[in-house]
Amino acid sequence: MTGPTRAPAAPRAADRLGWEDPWLRTYPAASGRPPRIRLVCFPHAGGTAQLFHGWAARLPKDVELLAVRYPGRQERLSEPFAEDMAELADAVTAALLPRLDRPLALFGHSMGSTVAYETTLRLESRHGVVPRRLIVSARSAPHRIRRTGLYLRGDDELLAGVRRLGSLGSEAYDIPELRELLLPALRADYRLVENYRPASPPVPTQAPITACLGLQDPGCDPDSVLAWSELTRADDFALRTYPGDHFYLAPREAELVADITKDLEA
């Protein structure tokens, strides 16, 4: 006895466009129809698109998730790292242009918050596209970032500085083969964010901003995160806090994605 006939699977966004973009890992809307909105997610320093793998199943069925893939890791291991923030944000913005047929919201974690902010500015100023919302996580506002010089230090000191923030994925650095593979990306990302200089005064975005913060995050003080409110209209800013350290988003994934869903509905 045969089971019910299934409808053919909906093509992935990349397939519909006819090519696979190295910058974006696409998680199509579960509805199988064109999405209502696209959520673009930017990982932290040393991080990868894999950070957001579990999010797609938690999002509404009409939301497509695009996870940004930085060069120099995973599928792009052989490619050179981005040299500066402008280069990185320009490339991500260009990758998003074929996807502007639907509204966008941007989420960035730690370094990813800064990349998401700079991408938002480019979408607005160059293409007249205002994202539905910019959601920044575990990152001080661009004009309040404190520099550590960690990328200039030895491997052990760099890793100690990262581990002070939290333990997400840090056990991989205890395996010599993985340490050798992962450390260059981590150092390159720290060099990129520490050499980043925002415009002075910083450029506000037309998009509403939600800032998210782990209450025990040693890398961000609440005042510096609240300073994101200076980059949007006063009534378009919200602050959300969660129990946990710099990498609160892993144990609080369900709660965070539920809150982001509320932002997408607003």
Side-chain angles (χ1 to χ4, degrees):
M1 185 173 180
T2 60
T5 302
R6 289 191 174 190
R12 298 184 310 155
D15 294 335
R16 292 197 301 270
L17 292 168
W19 50 278
E20 177 68 40
D21 192 324
W23 283 95
L24 300 169
R25 179 177 294 170
T26 304
Y27 296 85
S31 65
R33 296 187 292 273
R36 172 177 56 88
I37 189 170
R38 292 186 167 106
L39 176 64
V40 188
C41 295
F42 298 73
H44 54 281
T48 69
Q50 188 67 23
L51 177 69
F52 305 105
H53 181 72
W55 286 35
R58 299 185 185 276
L59 288 166
K61 293 183 178 181
D62 57 357
V63 176
E64 181 174 275
L65 190 150
L66 301 173
V68 175
R69 301 191 287 197
Y70 302 140
R73 66 214 75 193
Q74 289 193 322
E75 303 95 334
R76 307 184 66 187
L77 186 63
S78 63
E79 300 180 39
F81 303 114
E83 290 296 324
D84 58 53
M85 187 65 68
E87 173 192 335
L88 184 55
D90 284 348
V92 177
T93 302
L96 290 173
L97 295 185
R99 286 142 168 111
L100 299 184
D101 59 321
R102 294 291 185 273
L104 298 179
L106 279 63
F107 171 90
H109 182 67
S110 195
M111 176 185 99
S113 297
T114 306
V115 188
Y117 163 70
E118 287 289 337
T119 301
T120 296
L121 296 183
R122 284 159 172 74
L123 289 170
E124 292 178 354
S125 64
R126 301 177 184 178
H127 306 287
V129 174
V130 179
R132 183 74 58 84
R133 185 168 288 269
L134 170 62
I135 306 166
V136 294
S137 168
R139 187 68 170 164
S140 302
H143 54 300
R144 296 288 297 275
I145 293 172
R146 292 177 298 175
R147 307 184 198 286
T148 66
L150 271 177
Y151 76 96
L152 296 169
R153 302 176 189 174
D155 291 349
D156 290 341
E157 197 170 354
L158 171 61
L159 285 177
V162 173
R163 283 174 162 156
R164 184 179 69 88
L165 300 175
S167 60
L168 180 66
S170 65
E171 64 278 0
Y173 294 102
D174 295 328
I175 303 170
E177 295 82 0
L178 291 179
R179 179 182 171 118
E180 183 178 352
L181 191 66
L182 299 174
L183 260 178
L186 181 66
R187 188 177 298 280
D189 287 352
Y190 264 77
R191 180 176 62 246
L192 184 148
V193 295
E194 297 236 347
N195 288 323
Y196 164 65
R197 298 294 185 272
S200 182
V203 180
T205 172
Q206 300 175 56
I209 295 178
T210 297
C212 303
L213 175 67
L215 289 171
Q216 289 78 46
D217 186 344
C220 293
D221 68 86
D223 286 344
S224 68
V225 176
L226 275 170
W228 282 101
S229 64
E230 300 167 20
L231 302 183
T232 190
R233 293 179 295 271
D235 57 350
D236 278 345
F237 176 79
L239 175 68
R240 291 197 180 108
T241 59
Y242 301 86
D245 59 24
H246 192 71
F247 296 108
Y248 74 90
L249 80 171
R252 295 285 167 175
E253 180 179 283
E255 183 180 352
L256 175 61
V257 176
D259 287 339
I260 291 172
T261 297
K262 295 174 186 175
D263 289 333
L264 302 183
E265 302 294 342

